[in-house]
């Protein structure tokens, strides 16, 4: 386990910083249909791989605290509810600035490290509010766009929504693809759509939400991942959080291997964001282990790894408090917004 586990919170601290955009953009490549249609997934082998992960990888005590602090810096702290308000978004931004209570950080020897979440993710309506609330923090605002979550509004409306969010200060745009293009195998249409989204984002980084729970097969997930990367996605993301099935380790394995294949062929690094249903600290550790195993240490940083979550942060803070105090507190002592 020595290659995986960071042995103490102090050893981990050098890499625990706020989110940045320090990696080269993925400019994309020409659509290679032969590469896309050649993708296959060995379902039984993939299932065996993820089934053995919890038993083969574990961290305890200081090492676990270090991994969980690292996970905090990769969270896109999210509120995407119909009853969102300006004040809720401001509270969420305050939590993003100080995601773990100061007394807990001090006890871990991390009180001066400036730990923040990776981003705050909101609807376009609240982008300017979040930008104002996060001023000076270095925390980027991510906006969901393109008719989130279904992605079925007209294409020109999608582009205008992206442009409006960028104009309001969003530094990251989480777009949703048209699932029909995947389900009908219209890879050229998916590529063209994604290229348009990438262009509309300008300097803002773009995360392509595949809505994997709607894509029916792992083969479709692999092909859609590859097409979106060819078209210039800086990140590929599992889900909106609104589908019946959201992020899973099985889907994650397939998407990570597509990221690896894309890097091996092009030299370009693309980030990964699981989203939806990741609410427990023990679960996020498995995603981190899989990232480390499949892609390497660089993909444990917020430049290349984000976690779309809301309640996850409260459980991580609760686990960290248990680590320093030996006692569990109620979840309502760890509000997120």
């Amino acid at each position: 386990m020595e290659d995986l586990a960071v042995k103490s919170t102090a050893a981990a601290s050098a890499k625990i910083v706020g989110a940045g955009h320090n990696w080269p953009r993925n400019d994309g490549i020409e659509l290679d249909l032969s590469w896309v249609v050649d993708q296959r997934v060995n379902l039984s082998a993939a299932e065996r791989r993820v089934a053995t992960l919890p038993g083969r990888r574990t961290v305890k005590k200081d090492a676990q605290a270090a991994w969980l602090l690292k996970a905090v810096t990769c969270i896109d702290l999210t509120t995407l509810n119909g009853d969102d308000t300006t004040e809720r978004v401001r509270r969420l931004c305050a939590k993003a600035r100080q995601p773990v209570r100061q007394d807990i950080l001090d006890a871990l020897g991390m009180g001066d490290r400036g730990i923040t979440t990776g981003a705050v993710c909101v609807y376009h309506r609240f982008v300017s509010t979040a930008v104002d609330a996060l001023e000076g923090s270095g925390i980027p605002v991510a906006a969901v766009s393109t008719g989130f979550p279904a992605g079925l509004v007209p294409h020109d409306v999608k582009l205008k929504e992206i442009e409006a969010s960028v104009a309001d200060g969003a530094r990251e745009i989480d777009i949703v693809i048209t699932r029909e293009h995947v389900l009908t195998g219209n890879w050229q249409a998916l590529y063209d759509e994604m290229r348009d989204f990438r262009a509309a984002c300008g300097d803002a980084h773009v995360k392509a939400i595949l809505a994997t729970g709607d894509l029916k097969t792992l083969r479709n997930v692999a092909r859609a991942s590859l097409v979106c990367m060819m078209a210039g996605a800086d990140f590929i993301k599992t889900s909106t959080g609104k589908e019946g099935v959201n992020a899973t380790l099985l889907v994650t394995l397939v998407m990570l291997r597509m990221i690896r294949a894309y890097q091996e062929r092009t030299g370009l690094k693309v980030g990964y964001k699981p989203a939806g249903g990741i609410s427990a600290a023990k679960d996020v550790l498995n995603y981190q282990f899989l990232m480390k195993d499949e892609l390497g240490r660089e993909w444990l940083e917020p430049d290349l790894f984000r976690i779309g979550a809301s309640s996850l942060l409260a459980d991580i803070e609760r686990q960290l408090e248990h680590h320093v105090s030996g006692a569990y507190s109620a979840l309502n002592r760890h509000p997120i917004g």
Side-chain angles (χ1 to χ4, degrees):
M1 271 308 293
E2 290 188 4
D3 65 323
L4 256 181
V6 181
K7 288 196 169 185
S8 70
T9 52
S13 65
K15 285 291 187 179
I16 297 181
V17 294
H21 290 144
N22 302 317
W23 74 100
R25 297 294 300 275
N26 171 31
D27 290 328
I29 61 173
E30 293 295 323
L31 178 62
D32 184 344
L33 282 173
S34 63
W35 190 14
V36 174
V37 299
D38 192 46
Q39 296 308 309
R40 301 289 187 275
V41 176
N42 185 327
L43 178 59
S44 60
E47 289 174 335
R48 286 195 302 271
R49 172 76 174 89
V50 299
T52 60
L53 186 67
R56 292 171 52 241
R57 295 284 185 264
T58 185
V59 286
K60 301 293 184 184
K61 299 182 179 179
D62 281 352
Q64 184 181 86
W67 281 84
L68 292 178
L69 278 176
K70 175 58 67 181
V72 168
T73 70
C74 296
I75 291 175
D76 280 4
L77 195 58
T78 300
T79 184
L80 297 171
N81 302 308
D83 59 352
D84 283 342
T85 65
T86 296
E87 288 309 309
R88 174 183 286 175
V89 170
R90 289 191 176 278
R91 290 194 300 270
L92 193 77
C93 292
K95 188 62 176 176
R97 284 176 174 268
Q98 180 74 59
V100 180
R101 287 201 334 255
Q102 190 63 42
D103 62 304
I104 297 174
L105 293 176
D106 289 342
L108 292 168
M110 301 293 290
D112 61 348
R113 294 293 176 173
I115 293 173
T116 70
T117 65
V120 167
C121 186
V122 294
Y123 279 113
H124 167 72
R125 164 71 176 76
F126 298 104
V127 169
S128 59
T129 299
V131 169
D132 179 67
L134 293 171
E135 184 177 2
S137 69
I139 303 170
V141 173
V144 294
S145 194
T146 63
F148 180 97
L152 293 177
V153 300
H155 187 67
D156 63 328
V157 175
K158 296 178 183 181
L159 299 181
K160 290 176 182 176
E161 186 180 12
I162 292 172
E163 291 163 356
S165 291
V166 173
D168 279 359
R171 291 166 53 195
E172 302 174 2
I173 304 294
D174 290 28
I175 64 92
V176 289
I177 65 169
T178 301
R179 283 73 131 178
E180 181 185 7
H181 297 332
V182 179
L183 297 174
T184 60
N186 193 345
W187 305 115
Q188 185 67 58
L190 178 61
Y191 179 87
D192 292 342
E193 175 182 70
M194 186 67 228
R195 290 299 285 179
D196 286 349
F197 294 161
R198 173 71 159 77
C201 285
D203 291 335
H205 286 65
V206 58
K207 307 188 196 94
I209 308 172
L210 305 185
T212 54
D214 289 344
L215 300 189
K216 309 304 182 185
T217 68
L218 291 177
R219 181 185 297 179
N220 279 343
V221 171
R223 291 173 172 176
S225 298
L226 197 54
V227 172
C228 286
M229 289 187 288
M230 289 178 180
D234 295 299
F235 268 72
I236 51 174
K237 174 180 172 181
T238 59
S239 318
T240 66
K242 310 296 185 181
E243 291 83 54
V245 177
N246 295 290
T248 67
L249 288 172
L250 188 58
V251 160
T252 295
L253 178 64
V254 172
M255 294 174 71
L256 297 187
R257 290 188 171 173
M258 289 298 96
I259 289 172
R260 188 171 67 195
Y262 185 75
Q263 185 199 12
E264 288 172 350
R265 183 172 293 199
T266 68
L268 298 167
K269 296 177 181 177
V270 173
Y272 175 68
K273 179 178 174 179
I278 306 173
S279 58
K282 63 182 176 62
D283 293 332
V284 80
L285 289 169
N286 286 324
Y287 283 91
Q288 290 174 290
F289 298 159
L290 196 58
M291 294 289 288
K292 173 66 166 56
D293 284 357
E294 294 292 327
L295 295 176
R297 178 65 180 80
E298 289 178 283
W299 271 267
L300 294 179
E301 299 295 330
D303 280 350
L304 291 169
F305 181 42
R306 298 290 182 82
I307 307 144
S310 52
S311 57
L312 171 65
L313 179 56
D315 192 53
I316 290 178
E317 189 177 33
R318 183 168 175 260
Q319 297 301 325
L320 292 173
E321 183 174 28
H322 175 263
H323 176 69
V324 300
S325 71
Y328 281 111
S329 63
L331 276 173
N332 62 13
R333 294 190 65 232
H334 307 278
I336 60 166

